[in-house]
Amino acid sequence: MTTALITGSTAGIGAAFARRLASDGHNLVLVARDTKRLQEQATELHDRHGVEVEVRTADLATDDGIETVVARLSDRRAPVDLLINNAGFGNKGRYLDVSMADELKMLKVHCEAVLRLTSAASEAMRERGRGGVVNVASVAAFVPRGTYGASKAWVVQFTQGVAKDLAGTGVRLMALCPGFVRTEFHQRAGMGTDNIPNWMWLDADKLVAAALSDLARGKTLSIPDPRYKALMGLVKVTPRGLLGGVSSRTGRKYGPQ
């Protein structure tokens, strides 16, 4: 049986990955900050699917938290075959309205943690000649829309670059770029969502199924919904100057308040 490690596993997309992978028979290593929720999740998945589930309490906004997960990914005696870098969050407010401490915390989780965990996992996977890494980004990566989008753009570029470097080693890497997903993400950030149209919302379980299918097909970028694929197609042909203005107006109209 293979083992998957999922960061930010207790809610949203991370929890959907955990449910799907456990149902497919994968053993799990679940990583999040809340020990109680981790233990409850582990018990439920073990009892329902009969898989082995480890828990690691770690805050990926800290060096100690990152090092805890790096150590697990580097353990050759209990190899991890699939890494899902899902942990992340949003800050409420425009640039300069958000404290520098919160901006740096976001970069720590979205960029530094992804870099260090991907590197640890990929090194061990390359030695075995197999493995996969899914780095959860966002369609926000493709529009000029603040620090969140900038950090997710880094995730996309990093992931696709590493995928090229490791081509032929048996290690697959993919950036997953969802749109709005019904999770705890916005609630945790204190963002309202009443102004977001229903058609823009995605189901986390369907998103995960599409993402795993894309990974199996060897894709390095997954936008797992026809609606968002169409929107991103428009983004590609829109001049950057115009796109910045449209992004700002759309963010004020449809973005979380």
Side-chain angles (χ1 to χ4, degrees):
M1 296 177 70
T2 58
T3 298
L5 187 149
I6 306 166
T7 68
S9 71
T10 54
I13 295 173
F17 267 111
R19 290 191 298 270
R20 173 58 187 266
L21 292 169
S23 70
D24 287 346
H26 297 272
N27 292 329
L28 301 176
V29 182
L30 305 178
V31 177
R33 295 177 298 170
D34 190 324
T35 302
K36 184 175 182 292
R37 289 186 72 176
L38 277 172
Q39 291 173 340
E40 291 171 351
Q41 182 185 29
T43 298
E44 179 185 353
L45 292 172
H46 171 74
D47 292 347
R48 177 171 297 182
H49 301 290
V51 296
E52 297 301 317
V53 186
E54 300 175 44
V55 298
R56 298 289 170 114
T57 304
D59 182 354
L60 297 181
T62 67
D63 285 329
D64 287 346
I66 294 173
E67 287 163 8
T68 293
V69 185
V70 166
R72 179 61 186 86
L73 291 167
S74 303
D75 186 352
R76 292 342 191 235
R77 298 165 300 176
V80 170
D81 304 279
L82 176 63
L83 167 64
I84 309 293
N85 271 319
N86 168 73
F89 64 94
N91 288 319
K92 183 179 181 181
R94 297 186 185 187
Y95 182 62
L96 296 184
D97 293 335
V98 178
S99 73
M100 184 56 64
D102 286 340
E103 295 279 34
L104 292 173
K105 182 178 179 181
M106 176 182 286
L107 293 178
K108 187 89 170 179
V109 175
H110 290 184
C111 300
E112 182 180 341
V114 169
L115 168 64
R116 293 172 63 182
L117 270 56
T118 298
S119 297
S122 297
E123 184 176 2
M125 291 171 183
R126 184 174 61 176
E127 291 175 5
R128 299 193 305 276
R130 66 183 186 280
V133 178
V134 175
N135 290 329
V136 178
S138 169
V139 293
F142 305 111
V143 294
R145 187 65 184 155
T147 308
Y148 180 84
S151 69
K152 292 303 187 179
W154 182 91
V155 172
V156 171
Q157 293 296 319
F158 165 71
T159 303
Q160 291 194 293
V162 173
K164 281 190 174 182
D165 286 346
L166 294 182
T169 66
V171 184
R172 295 180 178 182
L173 291 99
M174 185 182 79
L176 171 59
C177 295
F180 288 108
V181 185
R182 294 199 182 278
T183 69
E184 298 178 9
F185 178 90
H186 300 97
Q187 180 182 357
R188 287 182 172 181
M191 300 173 178
T193 58
D194 292 342
N195 57 329
I196 300 173
N198 284 333
W199 68 266
M200 297 185 75
W201 288 105
L202 304 178
D203 176 79
D205 292 312
K206 292 178 180 179
L207 182 152
V208 164
L212 291 174
S213 177
D214 284 346
L215 180 66
R217 295 205 301 269
K219 289 191 174 184
T220 62
L221 178 68
S222 174
I223 302 174
D225 186 88
R227 291 163 290 180
Y228 281 98
K229 286 177 181 176
L231 285 174
M232 293 307 103
L234 290 174
V235 165
K236 286 183 179 180
V237 299
T238 302
R240 296 295 289 179
L242 176 61
L243 182 62
V246 171
S247 172
S248 180
R249 290 192 299 273
T250 303
R252 287 194 294 271
K253 182 175 181 181
Y254 293 130
Q257 304 297 310

